Amino acid sequence: METITPPEPARAALTLDGRRLSYLDFGGPGRPLLALHGHFNEGRTFAPLARALFPHWRVVVPDQRGHGFSDRGPDFSREGYVGDAAALISHLGLERPVVLGHSMGGVNAYQLAARHPGLVHALVIEDIGTEIDDDLSFCLSWPHRAPTRTALIEQLGDSARYLGDALREYPDGWGLAFRPEDMVTSVGRVNGDHWADWLATDCPALLIHGTRSDTLTEAHAKELASRRPHTSLAQLPTGHTVHETDPEGFAATVSAFLDTLKG
């Protein structure tokens, strides 16, 4: 069988009320899949998945507001994140995409389906639930600037391994592609009970749980799958960032689910 090499993704931006929403489009003739990253991250974290799914799926990965190459936006509300995703789907003319989301992006994904059910064909939710009480205040101690990339990595310590995509060079040195205080604000708006949104739709859904996750417990994952119709649960032996820890297993799990969907 001939191996098809996917092209490099095209970076583009959508302007929303004067604000830049940057995204990568991996293109191809396949069906659309929109992938939403979590806090501290950006769209290109899903590049390995996009390449694994090409050419059967056209993967689009935005840098959500306040992350990556996108502007901060006026707030970090649930409505803001969901509105950005809906606007990007409309802008690109994506016809009922599958929407995948990790962590905060997973909440954005199932809330998008709840509030715009006609836009979403199916959901893939990576390691997040509906009863959320997270605290990202530890990131407030991260350095603002360092003279070199190496110095920034040294100052970040163990946290640096989670932030490789988010390191940037600025005119005054090296720093992060987001403001830590924004992440604290954002997670505060994610925290809460979102069962109503999770149960508001019954489109096909796959919940992927990292069995060593400190974010989603096994009991909660099983409850999520059992209470929502047409929802399956897959478990992989990883922590919270399943797609980064086991990219091959993650891609195989997602691909197997996508193969079950009707056009």
Side-chain angles (χ1 to χ4, degrees):
M1 182 185 302
E2 181 182 359
T3 300
I4 301 176
T5 302
E8 286 300 308
R11 183 170 288 280
L14 168 63
T15 300
L16 298 170
D17 298 324
R19 171 176 52 87
R20 172 186 171 90
L21 183 70
S22 182
Y23 62 92
L24 291 174
D25 186 346
F26 285 80
R31 297 163 64 185
L33 185 148
L34 181 73
L36 305 175
H37 62 80
H39 286 117
F40 306 144
N41 224 311
E42 55 192 77
R44 62 179 171 174
T45 190
F46 291 116
L49 175 67
R51 295 185 180 110
L53 297 179
F54 186 88
H56 303 292
W57 290 85
R58 171 192 175 187
V59 178
V60 176
V61 292
D63 293 349
Q64 298 190 86
R65 56 175 56 197
H67 296 77
F69 292 94
S70 291
D71 292 338
R72 297 175 67 206
D75 59 48
F76 291 90
S77 65
R78 300 284 77 233
E79 293 77 12
Y81 278 114
V82 170
D84 288 350
L88 183 57
I89 290 171
S90 175
H91 172 70
L92 293 175
L94 304 181
E95 185 176 353
R96 298 193 70 227
V98 173
V99 182
L100 178 152
H102 170 239
S103 197
M104 176 265 291
V107 180
N108 296 349
Y110 67 68
Q111 289 186 334
L112 174 68
R115 297 170 193 184
H116 302 277
L119 290 183
V120 178
H121 179 55
L123 291 168
V124 178
I125 307 300
E126 179 189 353
D127 210 69
I128 196 67
T130 58
E131 299 170 10
I132 304 168
D133 183 16
D134 205 356
D135 180 7
L136 300 182
S137 60
F138 60 86
C139 74
L140 296 175
S141 64
W142 289 345
H144 175 65
R145 290 288 186 270
T148 65
R149 189 178 192 275
T150 299
L152 178 60
I153 291 172
E154 290 177 351
Q155 292 179 36
L156 286 168
D158 289 342
S159 299
R161 59 188 173 127
Y162 302 110
L163 301 169
D165 287 342
L167 307 186
R168 296 281 190 276
E169 186 174 16
Y170 297 93
D172 58 344
W174 281 80
L176 299 168
F178 54 81
R179 298 187 185 189
E181 60 270 25
D182 288 345
M183 302 300 98
V184 173
T185 299
S186 179
V187 78
R189 303 301 299 271
V190 176
N191 287 341
D193 185 325
H194 305 301
W195 271 109
D197 291 319
W198 176 247
L199 299 175
T201 59
D202 62 356
C203 63
L206 171 66
L207 174 63
I208 300 178
H209 172 227
T211 57
R212 298 195 294 269
S213 173
D214 56 4
T215 299
L216 179 63
T217 67
E218 181 175 12
H220 189 44
K222 290 181 175 179
E223 185 181 12
L224 290 166
S226 66
R227 289 184 59 182
R228 186 185 183 279
H230 309 129
T231 301
S232 57
L233 172 64
Q235 295 181 297
L236 294 174
T238 73
H240 180 52
T241 54
V242 186
H243 71 279
E244 291 183 348
T245 306
D246 183 7
E248 293 82 9
F250 183 79
T253 301
V254 172
S255 181
F257 169 72
L258 296 177
D259 286 346
T260 69
L261 301 178
K262 298 179 180 179

